[in-house]
Amino acid sequence: MFKPTVFLVDDDAAVRDALSLLLSLKGLRAQVFASAEDFLGTYDPAQRGCLLTDLRMPGMSGLELNQELQRRGVTLPVVLLTAHGDVATARAALKSGAFDFLEKPVNDELLMDVLTHAVERDAQIHRAAQQRSATLEKTSRLTQREREVLMLLSRGLQNREIAAELQISPRTVEDYKARMMEKLACRTIAAAVRIGLSLDMDEEAPTEPAPAE
């Protein structure tokens, strides 16, 4: 388990020293890098936290670093710092998916507030991804017919309506539903429906009969 870390990228050694000291005094773990390339060369996507990076640097810029992380599917929240802030640059940063955009010199209290929220956001994203993974693992155990029953339940259909849609008996629907609930480890229909909705299973269920299972 990695401790949440603020990854600080800035080509100015004095800025790196000052910010890393501030983060340490505020109880946040920091790792510093002199360039975007150095950060990309060592970062492990399993690490939690946020990225605080200068906008203008030799080589890859902060915006380009943010775009590269997105290309790699990394969800680490990115906070951009610049001494040359303007509305156009801020818009470009936020449109590129940055978590926030701050101008140097930045107020310590404001910076800590933004970084704290960025770390919290990363934790939320990570928890949601874990829940999604757990849900997908559970639903992978379902047969095709059980998935169809879940899909139709999540659309609000009752047993007789599901039976008519799938051309099977209401009793058979109950059998599929019972097996589906067991595999999903759901104690209530509402819990199963939430799983169905979370998977966006809103497409039309096939109407042709499926082989008996």
Side-chain angles (χ1 to χ4, degrees):
M1 177 69 69
F2 291 102
K3 181 179 179 180
T5 299
V6 176
F7 300 96
L8 171 60
V9 181
D10 199 302
D11 61 304
D12 188 324
V15 172
R16 293 197 303 272
D17 291 344
L19 288 178
S20 62
L21 176 59
L22 172 65
L23 294 173
S24 176
L25 291 174
K26 296 296 184 178
L28 285 177
R29 182 172 182 266
Q31 287 188 18
V32 299
F33 303 88
S35 70
E37 291 82 358
D38 287 347
F39 168 74
L40 289 173
T42 61
Y43 175 65
D44 181 346
Q47 292 176 287
R48 308 264 54 86
C50 70
L51 172 64
L52 176 63
T53 179
D54 192 21
L55 181 65
R56 297 186 180 182
M57 299 181 289
M60 183 180 289
S61 71
L63 272 179
E64 291 169 338
L65 172 56
N66 185 42
Q67 292 163 354
E68 176 62 18
L69 290 175
Q70 291 186 336
R71 187 188 70 78
R72 298 184 184 190
V74 175
T75 59
L76 193 71
V78 176
V79 178
L80 290 162
L81 273 176
T82 181
H84 311 280
D86 56 50
V87 174
T89 304
R91 279 178 53 84
L94 297 176
K95 285 184 68 175
S96 73
F99 180 82
D100 211 332
F101 179 89
L102 299 173
E103 292 185 59
K104 297 176 181 177
V106 61
N107 175 274
D108 290 354
E109 185 176 343
L110 173 61
L111 176 62
M112 295 309 302
D113 182 64
V114 169
L115 293 179
T116 298
H117 282 87
V119 170
E120 290 173 352
R121 175 58 178 159
D122 182 61
Q124 293 170 358
I125 293 171
H126 186 57
R127 283 195 299 270
Q130 288 181 316
Q131 292 169 358
R132 176 77 174 179
S133 178
T135 296
L136 291 174
E137 194 279 329
K138 288 179 181 178
T139 56
S140 70
R141 306 170 192 166
L142 301 179
T143 65
Q144 179 62 32
R145 188 58 101 196
E146 290 161 357
R147 288 181 67 89
E148 291 167 358
V149 170
L150 175 60
M151 185 192 315
L152 294 170
L153 276 173
S154 68
R155 287 169 47 189
L157 274 65
Q158 302 299 314
N159 283 358
R160 290 189 177 277
E161 295 170 311
I162 295 173
E165 184 80 13
L166 299 179
Q167 300 179 26
I168 56 179
S169 71
R171 177 60 182 273
T172 302
V173 171
E174 282 291 345
D175 291 340
Y176 284 126
K177 188 192 297 184
R179 295 205 296 267
M180 175 201 72
M181 297 278 288
E182 181 180 359
K183 291 178 180 179
L184 295 178
C186 291
R187 305 179 74 174
T188 66
I189 291 296
V193 167
R194 282 194 292 271
I195 289 177
L197 292 174
S198 73
L199 295 173
D200 296 324
M201 292 176 17
D202 58 355
E203 69 269 19
E204 291 293 327
T207 57
E208 64 273 18
E213 296 169 359

